Amino acid sequence: GAHQHYDDSDAVLELSPTMRLESIFHTSDWQMLSGQDLDLGTGDPALVDGFVFQIGKTDIGYLLRQGHLGGTDGEVTSLHICSGDPDGGHAVLGSVVFIPCPNGLTAVRISTRAPHLKELWIDQDGAHDSPIIADGLIWTIGSDNTVDGLNPKNGSQVIAIPFGATANHFPTPAVADGLLLVPGTNQVFAFMGPAGRPPAPSAG
């Protein structure tokens, strides 16, 4: 099609507290991404050690500099990560980002030194939905209607808790009041640890 003026779509935007545009990153093929529904923003940006990590439907993870996102094709580096569209939010532990790739939850280390992005492991047990971090484990919904607790160092499955059918779009566990909460199709499942629920806070 005819050349269009860039419209700030399929981009990472850095805004001031008053919502002034401070910095921007986008790829030069933004029109193709928009036209083919290959959104850059399927997940939220991750902030790690002065960098911004962003991945979208092209399965390419981009590493950008906070405060100077780089403009057009201005990434510090990029890395092909998922096989298929990563959907939902990620989790960050230290310098490692955990990405919900459909071929398996994927851990990527971000380093201030080149090559900056390094894939550490891919889960092989069917865990692929949005992860959270709690009690030293990475928690995610598995493909076999389990909520899985993974070792963040190597992705090995530490625990798998079965529950009913899962909610159908980007289900994400949560932790609150000493409980692990999992969204089912029409109900929420609550699991507690071996010590049970913590005592209620005192009124005093």
Side-chain angles (χ1 to χ4, degrees):
H3 175 74
Q4 294 178 3
H5 178 69
Y6 179 61
D7 60 5
D8 292 347
S9 64
D10 286 293
V12 178
L13 307 176
E14 189 166 4
L15 304 175
S16 75
T18 58
M19 302 300 287
R20 188 177 73 240
L21 181 61
E22 298 279 353
S23 184
I24 188 170
F25 164 80
H26 66 90
T27 59
S28 53
D29 58 354
W30 65 273
Q31 273 185 275
M32 183 274 291
L33 298 182
S34 291
Q36 297 186 21
D37 188 27
L38 294 173
D39 312 310
L40 179 62
T42 51
D44 46 331
L47 305 180
V48 180
D49 296 333
F51 291 110
V52 179
F53 174 84
Q54 179 69 48
I55 189 168
K57 290 182 181 178
T58 59
D59 304 344
I60 298 172
Y62 295 96
L63 194 66
L64 318 171
R65 243 176 250 293
Q66 260 181 275
H68 181 71
L69 296 177
T72 308
D73 296 330
E75 69 269 17
V76 175
T77 191
S78 63
L79 181 67
H80 189 275
I81 294 171
C82 297
S83 295
D85 178 7
D87 282 320
H90 55 257
V92 177
L93 183 61
S95 59
V96 179
V97 181
F98 301 91
I99 303 156
C101 297
N103 57 305
L105 190 74
T106 301
V108 174
R109 182 182 305 284
I110 294 174
S111 171
T112 54
R113 295 184 178 183
H116 298 297
L117 292 175
K118 181 184 179 187
E119 190 176 277
L120 298 181
W121 52 259
I122 301 174
D123 177 81
Q124 303 298 320
D125 296 309
H128 56 74
D129 279 313
S130 298
I132 63 167
I133 299 166
D135 200 26
L137 297 178
I138 309 297
W139 295 93
T140 182
I141 309 286
S143 58
D144 49 358
N145 293 334
T146 59
V147 58
D148 300 343
L150 309 180
N151 182 329
K153 289 186 172 57
N154 55 24
S156 64
Q157 191 180 81
V158 176
I159 186 171
I161 307 169
F163 66 100
T166 183
N168 67 348
H169 257 70
F170 320 137
T172 308
V175 174
D177 197 19
L179 299 173
L180 175 66
L181 305 167
V182 182
T185 307
N186 58 3
Q187 58 189 318
V188 174
F189 296 88
F191 301 95
M192 59 181 152
R197 293 179 65 174
S202 65

